[in-house]
Each structure stands twice: as C-alpha cells, then as structure tokens.
C-alpha cells in the first residue's frame, strides 16, 4: 500500500535529546518535537487506515468539489487534512498527484 510517512522518521526521535543535552535551546527542541509528533500521529492514522483497507490521501491531492463530497472521510492532524479512500476510488489525477507527493517526501 502507498505510504505518506517519511521512512527515516523513527531515526530522528528527539525525545531523549534533553537528557543528553540539557542546555539545548528550547525553541529548537520544541520545533523538533512538533515535527516528530505530527509524523508520529500521521503514522498511527496511516496504520489504522491500512488495517481497514484504506489509504491516506493528502488534502492537496484532491479536487475541491470532491473534497466537499468526502468531508465525512476526512482526518485532521494538526493543520493538515487527509482523506481515507480505497485505492480503486482514486481518480487518475489523484493517483498522479499522490505519486508526486510521495516522491517529494523521499527526497
């Protein structure tokens, strides 16, 4: 199944950094934790979606009319929205945009 979670996010776990570096700047640590928390929540949502046979499709990959129709299938994580869809429900354009989205994550 298609995954929108970055593959290397587990290696960048910042939770232990304050123990090893107690003088770390607060703002830097807060930004690192915010990004890690978002990706962790995204991974949990994607795990649930895969278990139910769905995939997560980012808000930016869908047409505005279709977004309005599928409002009940939306998941909000932080400020970002994702839709739970089956792979066969995707249109050609959505598939293409989703592939581009996944390729950008890998870079």
């Amino acid at each position: 199944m298609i995954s929108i979670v970055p593959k290397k996010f587990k290696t960048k776990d910042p939770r232990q950094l304050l123990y090893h570096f107690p003088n770390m700047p607060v703002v830097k640590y807060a930004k690192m934790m915010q990004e890690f928390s978002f990706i962790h929540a995204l991974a949990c949502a994607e795990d649930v979606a895969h278990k139910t046979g769905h995939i997560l499709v980012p808000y930016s990959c869908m047409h505005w009319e279709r977004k309005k129709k599928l409002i009940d299938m939306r998941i909000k994580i932080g400020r970002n929205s994702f839709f739970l869809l089956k792979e066969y429900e995707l249109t050609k354009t959505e598939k293409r945009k989703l592939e581009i989205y996944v390729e950008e994550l890998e870079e």
Side-chain angles (χ1 to χ4, degrees):
M1 294 207 130
I2 299 172
S3 177
I4 58 172
V5 177
K7 294 179 181 174
K8 295 183 180 181
F9 102 93
K10 292 272 185 189
T11 60
K12 296 182 180 182
D13 188 355
R15 291 180 282 192
Q16 297 178 0
L17 285 177
L18 280 183
Y19 178 77
H20 296 292
F21 305 101
N23 294 333
M24 177 180 250
V26 176
V27 175
K28 182 177 181 179
Y29 180 74
K31 286 181 181 180
M32 291 169 71
M33 274 305 297
Q34 182 180 19
E35 181 181 358
F36 178 78
S37 297
F38 169 75
I39 295 174
H40 184 68
L42 183 63
C44 291
E46 188 175 73
D47 186 42
V48 170
H50 287 304
K51 287 180 180 177
T52 60
H54 293 85
I55 59 171
L56 284 180
V57 180
Y59 189 83
S60 61
C61 294
M62 297 184 68
H63 192 268
W64 66 271
E65 288 178 355
R66 193 152 147 86
K67 291 175 194 174
K68 285 186 176 183
K69 291 178 185 174
L70 298 171
I71 197 79
D72 57 334
M73 299 296 286
R74 184 179 66 178
I75 295 177
K76 285 195 67 115
I77 301 174
R79 295 181 180 175
N80 301 332
S81 295
F82 300 90
F83 290 91
L84 284 169
L85 296 174
K86 301 258 185 196
E87 279 195 59
Y88 64 85
E89 293 176 335
L90 293 174
T91 63
K92 291 178 186 177
T93 308
E94 290 170 350
K95 283 183 184 178
R96 185 174 42 82
K97 286 182 180 180
L98 184 60
E99 289 171 359
I100 292 170
Y101 184 86
V102 171
E103 287 175 6
E104 288 176 359
L105 283 178
E106 292 175 358
E107 291 177 359

